[in-house]
Amino acid sequence: MDSHSRPSFFVPLLETLLTLVITASFSHPAFGEGFRILDQSASATAQGGAFAAQADDPSAVHYNPAAITDLPSLQMTVGTLLVNGAIDFRPPSGPAIEGDFGGTFANPPPSSFFVSARLGDLMSPSFDSWTLGLGVYSPFGNITSYPRSSGITPILTRTASPILDITPTVAFRAHPMLALGAGLDIYTFSDLFGEGHVEIQQTAADLARAGFPFAPNDHTELNGRDTALGYHAGLLFTPVRNEREQPLVNVALVYRSRVTLNLKGQLLNGSRGFALGAKADLNLPQVVTAGLAVWPMRNAQREWKLEIDVDYADWTSFDHLDVTLSNGAVLPNPRNWQTSYVVMAGTEYKFISPALLPSWDIAIRGGYVFADSPVPERTFKPDVPDSNSHSYSAGIGFLCRRGGTFLGVIPCGTAQEGLGLAALGFDLAYQGIFYQSRSISNNQDPRVHGVWDTTIHVVSLNLRANFDVSRAD
């Protein structure tokens, strides 16, 4: 085969992409600060999300789009999260109220899909500096539910916001020390994923008092959906490399734009056949992330990385979620959230081709996160029972290259001419998120006064496939 020709692989690749996207589900509980989703890769989750300056798998499309320039050939990763947690609300009087995040485990489980393709490896050397990426996942969202017999049912029985983000991305290696990346964020909803809209369910006591033709125990739902466009950009600066041209120091900077979803839907009372048009604006914050990664050890046998990232989110745009109904009534929902930050620290120690498994890399990971809550006491609500939180994580990763077998059965590579499998990987992580106990006593709604405690457990799983192009001599 001519050294400048490349195999036709785009049709099977497109079929693979469509299959993975359609079969994944993206209805997320919230387990970041506010209702951001910080966990998008098992490798990153195990390191406390400190991944923007490493970002060495296709989830870099999210963590730092510039980093996909360091991913050779074609790489894919698909992941899912097993999420379990509890919300414990103890009011000043009466029984405690226990909420959760959609059941024993969030169902369907939150999932993500990422792919990167370095054009110089797959098409022509003239495109060697360019890499394309695509992600389908949810950087924002939540599911929260409470018993219908609790004392806060007029405020909330269930809320869900399965916001889907489709992120076509392009990255350019401008200099051996500098890579740049940018892409679109297409926020939307789909009936394939959850209910396909933002929804808030509650009993009708407050609406009945406001003059709506409801009985206090009627169950109502507010819903809405929209598609909106944002963007993200990142850079990766590598001032120090080793003799093998691997980074020893990486500096990352990532920006994600503010976006407004103009939600349009209905206020429904199914038991009475009642429906009104409804609309509300949901403002997602702009986010800036800075990261520093260093490798005190990086050679042919061992790699040790340390990273710290600082994440700043401007939640001041989330000032209200007022609902305007088609009859002219307005249901006020003030928020007045504040700016907040997240500090993430993580490490990875990797064994490369150990003697017992010469075709494998094995990584051991750990991390810590402190997340500052943007939610003020005055407008604290049960849908996002947020407070400052501490997270602890650990995980392990395996990458099996050609010559090895995955799970003792599946060959980790193919020797065929053209686009062939080069490696298979599996990553596993656990993260415990412990929210500080929060006492609410000065809220605009006294029904939420009391002590709130939230704990979330996350198990993150990822499968990875790397491909490369082999040519005949």
Side-chain angles (χ1 to χ4, degrees), residues 182-207:
L184 299 177
D185 290 287
I186 306 169
Y187 295 102
T188 190
F189 298 86
S190 170
D191 293 331
L192 295 174
F193 314 123
E195 298 294 328
H197 55 225
V198 173
E199 65 178 27
I200 300 174
Q201 298 178 8
Q202 61 198 94
T203 58
D206 291 353
L207 293 170

Side-chain angles (χ1 to χ4, degrees), residues 26 41 48 77 95 100 136 151 175 183 202 262-263 274 292 323 389 400 472:
F26 299 86
S41 157
T77 181
D100 59 37
V136 184
H175 184 273
Q202 61 198 94
N262 304 124
L263 303 175
F274 181 92
L292 171 66
V323 179
S389 66
C400 173

Side-chain angles (χ1 to χ4, degrees), residues 51-372:
F51 201 59
Q54 177 184 0
D56 57 358
D57 69 34
S59 67
V61 168
H62 165 73
Y63 287 100
N64 185 354
I68 64 175
T69 57
D70 286 338
L71 303 180
S73 199
L74 177 71
Q75 300 192 18
M76 299 181 186
T77 181
V78 60
T80 194
L81 300 171
L82 302 177
V83 183
N84 170 268
I87 305 164
D88 181 21
F89 171 44
R90 301 185 300 279
S93 61
I97 298 171
E98 293 187 1
D100 59 37
F101 299 97
T104 304
F105 292 99
N107 185 32
S111 303
S112 61
F113 171 73
F114 298 98
V115 60
S116 66
R118 192 155 71 186
L119 300 184
D121 296 336
L122 301 175
M123 296 175 59
S124 166
S126 60
F127 294 101
D128 196 51
S129 297
W130 294 91
T131 305
L132 301 181
L134 176 68
V136 184
Y137 67 109
S138 288
F140 300 92
N142 78 318
I143 300 174
T144 311
S145 61
Y146 298 91
R148 293 194 178 188
S149 58
S150 78
I152 59 172
T153 56
I155 307 172
L156 184 70
T157 57
R158 184 179 187 274
T159 183
S161 53
I163 302 172
L164 181 66
D165 189 8
I166 303 170
T167 61
T169 300
V170 61
F172 176 69
R173 173 61 66 178
H175 184 273
M177 290 195 297
L178 181 65
L180 305 172
L184 299 177
D185 290 287
I186 306 169
Y187 295 102
T188 190
F189 298 86
S190 170
D191 293 331
L192 295 174
F193 314 123
E195 298 294 328
H197 55 225
V198 173
E199 65 178 27
I200 300 174
Q201 298 178 8
Q202 61 198 94
T203 58
D206 291 353
L207 293 170
R209 282 195 294 271
F212 286 82
F214 299 159
N217 291 327
D218 286 353
H219 201 71
T220 66
E221 177 184 310
L222 273 165
N223 61 53
R225 63 191 299 172
D226 185 32
T227 296
L229 187 65
Y231 64 92
H232 59 278
L235 66 82
L236 187 67
F237 177 58
T238 307
V240 183
R241 294 180 183 269
N242 63 14
E243 66 281 358
R244 301 166 68 206
E245 293 300 314
Q246 296 172 308
L248 296 180
V249 178
N250 271 349
V251 179
L253 186 64
V254 183
Y255 175 78
R256 190 178 300 276
S257 71
R258 171 183 168 176
V259 175
T260 298
L261 288 158
N262 304 124
L263 303 175
K264 295 182 179 179
Q266 293 181 307
L267 168 64
L268 303 173
N269 183 343
S271 61
R272 299 179 183 273
F274 181 92
L276 279 176
K279 60 182 181 179
D281 291 340
L282 174 59
N283 294 311
L284 304 178
Q286 61 179 347
V287 180
V288 179
T289 304
L292 171 66
V294 297
W295 282 262
M297 175 192 303
R298 193 163 201 181
N299 54 45
Q301 295 80 38
R302 302 281 192 275
E303 293 183 4
W304 178 30
K305 185 216 74 165
L306 299 167
E307 181 168 346
I308 185 165
D309 293 359
V310 178
D311 201 78
Y312 172 84
D314 182 11
W315 282 104
T316 58
S317 59
F318 192 51
D319 54 351
H320 70 86
L321 198 56
D322 296 350
V323 179
T324 301
L325 301 177
S326 56
N327 65 357
V330 176
L331 305 179
N333 191 349
R335 296 293 176 143
N336 299 318
W337 284 17
Q338 305 160 349
T339 58
S340 65
Y341 65 92
V342 179
V343 178
M344 298 161 278
T347 186
E348 175 184 78
Y349 194 93
K350 185 181 292 185
F351 301 89
I352 300 173
S353 302
L356 294 178
L357 294 169
S359 298
W360 291 72
D361 296 343
I362 302 172
I364 300 171
R365 304 167 177 134
Y368 166 78
V369 184
F370 173 77
D372 173 49

